[in-house]
Structures are given as C-alpha cells and as structure tokens.
Amino acid sequence: MIRNALTIVLIIGLCLASSVVAKNYVNWKGEFWLEMPEGWDKVEYREVDRMLATMDTTTEVYKYEAVLAPVESVPFTSGPYVFITFEPGGDMSDAAADSLLRGIAAGYADDIMESPNAARLSDLNPGQPRLNLENRTVQVLSELAFSENSVSKLWMYLKLNHAGLIAFYMYCPIDEFEATKPEFEAMINSLKFDGLKEAAGSESATFTDVRGNDEMPGRPSGGEADEAAEGFAAFKNWIYIIIGIVIVAGIVWYAVIVPRRKKQQENGSD
C-alpha cells in the first residue's frame, strides 16, 4: 500500500513539473504559436533591454514581442537567438497583401526571387529576398559583422497573417550556423495560427501577450509590469506546489495513517 502511495506521489510530481515548463511560444495578440527547440526558452525582458542598449542592431527589434534562445547561452547573444516582432494590421485582400510584401522585399534588395517553396535556409541566396505570395512570406539571409571578431548570420522570415505582420530575426554566430539551421527551420515550419489554448497548456498569458497600449507594442512599459508578471508567475507556481502538497498529504493519510490507526484500535480492543 505504501508503495502504491509513493507511485502516485511520483506521478503527481511529474505532472506538476510538466505543467510549469512550457515547450511552445504562444503570442495571443498576433494569434500564432510555434514549438521551441529542446533546451530553448524565452529570455527575460529586462535582460534583453539591457543587451539592446549595447548592440548595433536593427530598429525593428526594439519593438520585440519576445526573444527565444538556448537556456545555456549566457548572455543570450553568445549563441543563436530569435527576436520576434508583430505589427498589427488586420486582414488584407490578396492585392493589398501582394503590394505590401513586394514593397518589403524591395526594401532589402532589387533582385527578388519569387518561389512557392517552404522555409529552407539552404535554398536562399545571401542578400537576395525570397518572396512567396501564396504563403504571404518574405525571407532574407544576410551576414552581419557586429565587430571585427563577431560575425553572425541573420535569417529574416516575415509572415503576413490575418492579424498583421509577424517577423522573426534569427541570429547565429557564423561558426554555429550550420548546426543551428535545423532548429531555425523547425521553429518556422512549426508556426501555426489555430489551437492557441491547447498550445499554451497551463501557461497563462503574460502582459506581453495581452497588452496592446504600451509605448513599444507587445512589450511591458516598465519595471512595474515586469514585476507584476513575475509575481503572477511565482504565485501560479506556488499554487501548483500547494495543490501537490495537499494531494500528497491526503494520499498518505488514507493510505498509511488511517489503516495504522484502525489496526491500533483493533489491537486495543483485543
């Protein structure tokens, strides 16, 4: 009986652990989600903001929704990482969408390749935008030199959905690029626009996901928002722990304490 109780406790512990760790990134405002590679997670906003202040990077990423990176990368810029941005725009007619996407592609280079292919980094020519009007996407592969000894590849993947324009800025040190390509491609190929609640699981929406009136769209406006979000997340985790303790205590009570007391009462009556 004690063995059965311990088995149940172990199962509950595993369930609680899996409920806290999320494997998907869900953006409620942009109505999309994707699967993060194993070992990746969202980078805290304050860490990103501090790093942005010292980086020579594009203006667009300052309006980021989230940054994804391997957990083991400290700082997150030491390895591959992804800036995700979203610009609300609403649904567009095919003609309007084609015009917008052609304009975006032309902003990177005059030599534009139109192709119906899915996201494949190996098919891209560096510096040449690839336009897919059927899937409403623009892709550009480029090389950036942040300093003499720091060269990175950048894959920009822009997707127009019914809610607006989603952009992924995927950075990677040039010597890690070949090994990271499958992870980048897997993230983009996992991009979906339905089933957000199921993808989010037990992870609640953050301030970034639901607020739309910040100084920078999709981001907390200050330290108070960050602290509130962190406080809510900590509170949620404590709720899981308390529920687990109550369940475990109940199992121990009915599986161990109650039978033992009954046995003592029977022995006493004898």
Side-chain angles (χ1 to χ4, degrees):
M1 187 172 295
I2 294 177
R3 182 181 298 173
N4 292 337
L6 293 176
T7 301
I8 296 173
V9 170
L10 178 60
I11 294 173
I12 292 172
L14 292 174
C15 292
L16 290 173
S18 62
S19 66
V20 175
V21 179
K23 296 181 180 179
N24 299 325
Y25 166 71
V26 180
N27 188 295
W28 299 94
K29 186 171 63 177
E31 299 181 32
F32 67 91
W33 66 276
L34 57 81
E35 298 176 10
M36 288 187 285
E38 184 177 352
W40 286 54
D41 205 345
K42 290 182 287 187
V43 182
E44 291 203 8
Y45 294 104
R46 281 177 287 188
E47 181 182 350
V48 178
D49 290 338
R50 286 195 299 267
M51 192 62 67
L52 280 174
T54 64
M55 289 174 59
D56 179 17
T57 186
T58 58
T59 304
E60 288 84 354
V61 299
Y62 281 94
K63 299 180 181 180
Y64 69 92
E65 293 286 312
V67 176
L68 311 181
V71 175
E72 63 182 15
S73 294
V74 180
F76 71 90
T77 53
S78 63
Y81 56 98
V82 180
F83 272 89
I84 301 175
T85 70
F86 174 72
E87 187 66 32
D91 204 1
M92 292 186 178
S93 65
D94 289 339
D98 292 355
S99 178
L100 174 62
L101 294 172
R102 288 185 186 278
I104 292 173
Y108 290 103
D110 296 330
D111 183 18
I112 301 172
M113 177 184 291
E114 294 192 30
S115 171
N117 294 339
R120 283 184 57 86
L121 269 169
S122 55
D123 296 335
L124 299 180
N125 298 320
Q128 183 183 43
R130 173 164 292 204
L131 176 64
N132 187 327
L133 295 177
E134 182 179 353
N135 289 335
R136 295 189 172 186
T137 60
V138 175
Q139 302 181 60
V140 184
L141 179 64
S142 61
E143 191 172 287
L144 301 174
F146 292 110
S147 65
E148 185 177 349
N149 299 320
S150 177
V151 179
S152 294
K153 290 280 191 179
L154 169 60
W155 180 25
M156 290 175 286
Y157 184 90
L158 295 89
K159 168 73 176 180
L160 186 65
N161 75 340
H162 65 277
L165 183 65
I166 308 162
F168 299 90
Y169 298 86
M170 290 167 274
Y171 297 87
C172 184
I174 196 166
D175 57 344
E176 299 180 31
F177 186 67
E178 289 300 321
T180 307
K181 282 199 308 186
E183 294 182 320
F184 281 164
E185 289 179 340
M187 272 191 285
I188 296 303
N189 289 328
S190 72
L191 184 62
K192 295 180 178 63
F193 306 95
D194 55 10
L196 273 72
K197 290 184 179 180
E198 293 78 7
S202 61
E203 184 182 26
S204 59
T206 65
F207 283 86
T208 306
D209 299 316
V210 299
R211 292 182 59 182
N213 58 350
D214 301 316
E215 295 178 3
M216 289 187 176
R219 293 180 51 212
S221 60
E224 292 182 1
D226 284 335
E227 292 174 4
E230 291 175 1
F232 181 80
F235 174 75
K236 179 191 69 175
N237 291 342
W238 274 109
I239 289 295
Y240 286 133
I241 293 172
I242 292 171
I243 291 174
I245 291 173
V246 171
I247 294 174
V248 170
I251 292 172
V252 172
W253 176 266
Y254 285 103
V256 179
I257 305 299
V258 172
R260 183 177 297 174
R261 287 191 174 181
K262 286 183 177 179
K263 189 173 182 180
Q264 290 176 346
Q265 290 175 354
E266 291 173 359
N267 293 337
S269 62
D270 294 339

